[in-house]
């Protein structure tokens, strides 16, 4: 292993993500091993079934399973000349807790090998295991040419062993291994956690979207109010401009009105520049401009309500000429 790979693995394992990946890998390997990933064809079959029929052997497997039912009995039917002892070793873990009978046709009889995979078979129940292994196959040679009838004899022998207390009573239960339960629980937890995360994230995203929509609506309202105020101001400027032009044509001396009007139009021009440059999302800028436009509106209204000053001039009569 190169130093770079070693450093990469060390950095990966040293993180929470790396530890989680390592734990999942170990759990998956354990599940594969206990679930029979390394089993041979016989063990893989009897892990979930009561009958194994080797290729080339003539037997109705479905009918054989119905005959055995849910008894703690497993029958392995192999081809002639097969190693029965090895087959028994192969199913030791897959058929644990059952009475296994391995059979193969030998001319006009059956070659049989029994293995009682019962609890404590090597200690307290050793004698019972031996009795069960030698008793379960009695009488099968009579039906060497009828394997289903031979299976019926095997089930009768098994029931007699149960009644005698040699084999524990009860049905065979086939359940997934503990790692599979753990993987299933982890999958359920992952789905629940993912759904909860999506729900919480969706609610948060919805709240954020609603808040953004509310702010956009407020900005739009503020922008609309600013536009309306600017339109009113523009109309007042137009009206005042007509008054200013009329006064200029008359050559009036209302200099105060003219000064105020010119200052108002100058400020209005500056506000127009700001109106063109302000961003609709700039709430503070829109609020400040609205205040300035409203202030200009008040000034324009005050200026419009002011009365024009009367034009002053000299009046007199010319002196008569002397003759």
């Amino acid at each position: 292993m190169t130093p770079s790979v070693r450093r990469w693995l060390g950095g990966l394992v040293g993180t929470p993500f790396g530890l989680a990946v390592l734990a999942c890998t170990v759990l998956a390997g354990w599940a594969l091993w206990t679930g029979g990933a390394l089993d041979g064809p016989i063990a893989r079959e009897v892990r979930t079934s009561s009958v194994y029929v080797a290729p080339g052997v003539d037997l109705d497997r479905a009918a054989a399973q119905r005959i055995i039912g849910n008894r703690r009995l497993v029958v392995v039917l192999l081809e002639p000349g097969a190693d029965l002892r090895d087959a028994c070793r192969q199913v030791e873990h897959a058929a644990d807790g059952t009475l296994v009978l391995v059979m193969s046709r030998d001319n006009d009889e059956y070659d049989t090998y029994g293995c009682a995979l019962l609890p404590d078979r090597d200690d307290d129940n050793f004698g019972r295991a031996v009795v069960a292994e030698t008793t379960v196959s009695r009488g099968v040679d009579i039906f060497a040419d009828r394997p289903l009838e031979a299976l019926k004899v095997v089930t009768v022998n098994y029931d007699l062993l149960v009644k005698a207390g040699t084999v524990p009573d009860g049905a065979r239960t086939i359940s997934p291994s503990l790692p599979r339960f753990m993987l299933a629980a982890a999958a359920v937890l992952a789905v629940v956690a993912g759904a909860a995360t999506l729900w919480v994230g969706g609610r948060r995203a919805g709240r954020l979207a609603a808040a953004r929509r509310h702010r956009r609506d407020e900005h739009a309202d503020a922008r609309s109010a600013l536009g309306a105020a600017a339109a009113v101001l523009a109309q007042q400027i137009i009206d005042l401009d007509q008054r200013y032009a009329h006064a200029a044509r008359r050559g009036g001396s209302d200099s105060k009105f003219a000064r105020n009007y010119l200052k108002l139009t100058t400020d209005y021009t500056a506000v127009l520049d700001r109106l063109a440059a302000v961003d609709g999302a700039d709430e503070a800028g829109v609020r400040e401009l609205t205040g300035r436009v409203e202030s200009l509106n008040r000034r324009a209204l005050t200026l419009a309500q002011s009365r024009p000053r009367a034009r002053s001039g000299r009046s007199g009569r010319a002196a008569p000429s002397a003759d």
Side-chain angles (χ1 to χ4, degrees), residues 128-145:
R128 294 182 179 181
V130 172
V131 172
E133 292 171 356
T134 57
T135 303
V136 70
S137 61
R138 287 180 180 176
V140 296
D141 293 336
I142 302 174
F143 304 99
D145 56 343

Side-chain angles (χ1 to χ4, degrees), residues 2-303:
T2 61
S4 59
V5 175
R6 190 180 298 108
R7 286 194 301 271
W8 179 79
L9 290 176
L12 179 62
V13 175
T15 62
F17 175 76
L19 293 176
V21 171
L22 181 61
C24 290
T25 303
V26 172
L27 183 60
W30 185 24
L32 290 174
W33 181 72
T34 57
L38 304 179
D39 288 345
I42 301 176
R44 191 178 304 114
E45 182 69 26
V46 301
R47 187 177 291 275
T48 57
S49 175
S50 298
V51 179
Y52 171 80
V53 182
V57 176
D58 185 16
L59 178 66
D60 187 348
R61 183 170 172 272
Q65 287 183 334
R66 288 194 296 269
I67 291 172
I68 295 177
N70 62 350
R71 295 177 175 87
R72 294 184 180 181
L73 175 65
V74 173
V75 176
V76 178
L77 195 59
L78 301 179
E79 66 278 2
D83 188 351
L84 307 186
R85 184 188 296 268
D86 181 66
C88 191
R89 284 196 298 267
Q90 291 183 34
V91 301
E92 184 174 359
H93 295 288
D96 190 30
T98 66
L99 177 58
V100 180
L101 177 62
V102 186
M103 305 169 58
S104 67
R105 183 75 177 271
D106 185 13
N107 296 325
D108 293 335
E109 59 183 14
Y110 280 108
D111 188 9
T112 61
Y113 188 89
C115 45
L117 305 177
L118 305 175
D120 299 328
R121 55 186 175 272
D122 295 329
D123 298 320
D124 297 339
N125 290 331
F126 178 77
R128 294 182 179 181
V130 172
V131 172
E133 292 171 356
T134 57
T135 303
V136 70
S137 61
R138 287 180 180 176
V140 296
D141 293 336
I142 302 174
F143 304 99
D145 56 343
R146 289 180 290 172
L148 289 179
E149 298 299 327
L151 282 181
K152 292 179 181 179
V153 173
V154 172
T155 57
V156 171
N157 293 336
Y158 176 86
D159 292 340
L160 292 175
L161 290 171
V162 171
K163 289 181 180 180
T166 306
V167 175
D169 193 8
R172 183 188 181 189
T173 57
I174 300 173
S175 59
S177 59
L178 177 61
R180 293 191 178 186
F181 279 117
M182 296 177 67
L183 286 176
V188 172
L189 289 177
V191 171
V192 172
T197 302
L198 290 177
W199 181 75
V200 173
R203 284 182 59 87
R204 179 176 176 81
R207 287 196 298 268
L208 292 176
R212 286 195 297 268
R213 178 64 180 271
H214 182 67
R215 287 195 298 269
R216 284 198 302 268
D217 292 342
E218 288 183 345
H219 294 163
D221 293 341
R223 186 75 181 184
S224 299
L226 176 60
V232 172
L233 177 60
Q235 184 60 46
Q236 292 193 80
I237 293 292
I238 292 173
D239 295 340
L240 291 173
D241 183 71
Q242 293 176 358
R243 177 178 169 182
Y244 176 78
H246 181 68
R249 286 195 302 269
R250 291 174 54 189
S253 58
D254 196 354
S255 58
K256 183 178 180 181
F257 170 80
R259 287 195 306 271
N260 291 336
Y261 172 74
L262 293 176
K263 189 174 186 308
L264 178 64
T265 55
T266 301
D267 294 341
Y268 175 66
T269 303
V271 167
L272 286 180
D273 294 337
R274 287 291 310 278
L275 282 173
V278 71
D279 186 4
D282 186 3
E283 184 177 357
V286 171
R287 190 184 304 112
E288 187 265 338
L289 271 179
T290 302
R292 290 185 60 181
V293 171
E294 290 177 350
S295 176
L296 292 177
N297 270 325
R298 289 191 295 270
R299 287 170 54 189
L301 181 61
T302 302
L303 191 59

